[in-house]
Amino acid sequence: MTALAPEVGIDLTRPRVPFVRLVRVELRKLADTRAGKWLLGTIAAISLLVMIIMLWVGLAEDVNLGFTDFLAGMNIPMGVLLPVLGVLSVTSEWSQRTALVTFTLEPNRGRVLAAKVVTGLLTALFAVVAALVAATIGTLLMAVLGSGETSWSIDASQFVGFYAGQALALLMGITFGMLLLSSPAAIVVYFAWAFVLPTIFGIAVAFIGWFGDVWPWIDFSAAQTPLFQAGGPSGEEWAHLGVSGLIWLVVPFVLGWFRVLRSEIK
């Protein structure tokens, strides 16, 4: 007589996957893919190129660039490319068809998304550390190769503002990824939002009189500029950042979150 196979079921008493492990997995997935490696390598290469160009121009024009100048220069490539990393952290689950495995091992999709957000915030912190190292090297080279009168002064609020800018950029990338669930569509829409929309706002300010009063409250990119200035934003500038962030980040983030929770996994 053939023995019956043991009954297989779901162990509902099994402990949940620790959240720290989810974050470690998301960090590894961010750098293990070919796209992630190319993107991180491109950010590092462009940041190095920006530092070399700034150093060359400063020495050629006899301009003493300081620590804050190099740090601001590092913000350009990171602010453009880091959001793409945020997009890929979400959309890669669908483009590489890993969502089925991910949400089978951790059925609570909200915990996976929260791990991706924490991963984005940690990546922004790594980017700031890398920018500080690059700015330090650039300033040292400027002091050695130039006249030696370089400035190392920087306001503490600028450190916080620099990190906040990178973190917001990554969160915007994650938001577009959750909303569209497609890498090409999310990247194209993000760049249109980041570079085309401010131009449209500028044209509207120039030709529509009343729009100038509304513009600071709806342009999220312009509202982030005071984060990098010494002393940080004023009270009104914080209000501009809060209202425009609610429009372009908070509301789309919530909509994207619920879309991922309710999307069919194929």
Side-chain angles (χ1 to χ4, degrees):
M1 180 177 179
T2 304
L4 296 175
E7 185 177 351
V8 178
I10 300 175
D11 183 7
L12 298 178
T13 62
R14 190 189 66 175
R16 295 198 304 181
V17 179
F19 187 73
V20 175
R21 188 183 301 168
L22 290 178
V23 173
R24 284 207 307 265
V25 170
E26 292 301 328
L27 277 172
R28 185 175 175 182
K29 287 159 67 177
L30 203 64
D32 266 4
T33 62
R34 186 179 300 175
K37 287 178 181 176
W38 272 100
L39 200 54
L40 290 172
T42 302
I43 293 173
I46 295 179
S47 298
L48 179 63
L49 183 63
V50 168
M51 186 190 73
I52 293 173
I53 292 174
M54 291 182 67
L55 192 62
W56 179 68
V57 172
L59 293 174
E61 299 295 330
D62 197 21
V63 177
N64 289 321
L65 298 176
F67 185 76
T68 52
D69 299 314
F70 283 102
L71 192 61
M74 296 301 107
N75 181 56
I76 298 172
M78 291 183 178
V80 172
L81 295 176
L82 278 179
V84 179
L85 208 57
V87 168
L88 295 178
S89 70
V90 177
T91 57
S92 62
E93 299 283 2
W94 275 263
S95 63
Q96 299 179 16
R97 301 182 184 276
T98 57
L100 185 60
V101 176
T102 300
F103 294 132
T104 299
L105 295 175
E106 176 48 74
N108 189 331
R109 300 185 191 182
R111 296 186 78 225
V112 175
L113 290 178
K116 291 182 184 296
V117 171
V118 173
T119 300
L121 297 178
L122 288 175
T123 304
L125 185 60
F126 295 152
V128 170
V129 172
L132 290 175
V133 172
T136 302
I137 295 173
T139 310
L140 281 173
L141 290 174
M142 178 60 74
V144 172
L145 303 175
S147 62
E149 298 177 356
T150 53
S151 171
W152 289 90
S153 64
I154 184 170
D155 194 283
S157 62
Q158 289 176 290
F159 280 116
V160 179
F162 189 81
Y163 171 73
Q166 306 307 325
L168 288 173
L170 263 162
L171 289 177
M172 283 303 301
I174 292 174
T175 299
F176 278 102
M178 290 193 299
L179 275 175
L180 299 172
L181 299 181
S182 165
S183 302
I187 291 172
V188 169
V189 173
Y190 170 76
F191 279 115
W193 172 83
F195 299 105
V196 177
L197 193 62
T199 304
I200 296 175
F201 283 154
I203 295 173
V205 169
F207 291 98
I208 305 174
W210 58 266
F211 191 77
D213 298 328
V214 180
W215 166 71
W217 299 92
I218 61 174
D219 192 342
F220 192 38
S221 297
Q224 295 178 48
T225 303
L227 289 173
F228 303 98
Q229 68 189 13
S234 64
E236 186 177 8
E237 288 168 341
W238 276 117
H240 293 162
L241 186 63
V243 173
S244 58
L246 179 67
I247 297 171
W248 294 108
L249 179 60
V250 177
V251 173
F253 183 89
V254 173
L255 294 175
W257 183 285
F258 280 103
R259 187 184 180 191
V260 172
L261 295 188
R262 302 179 66 85
S263 291
E264 181 183 1
I265 305 298
K266 300 178 181 177

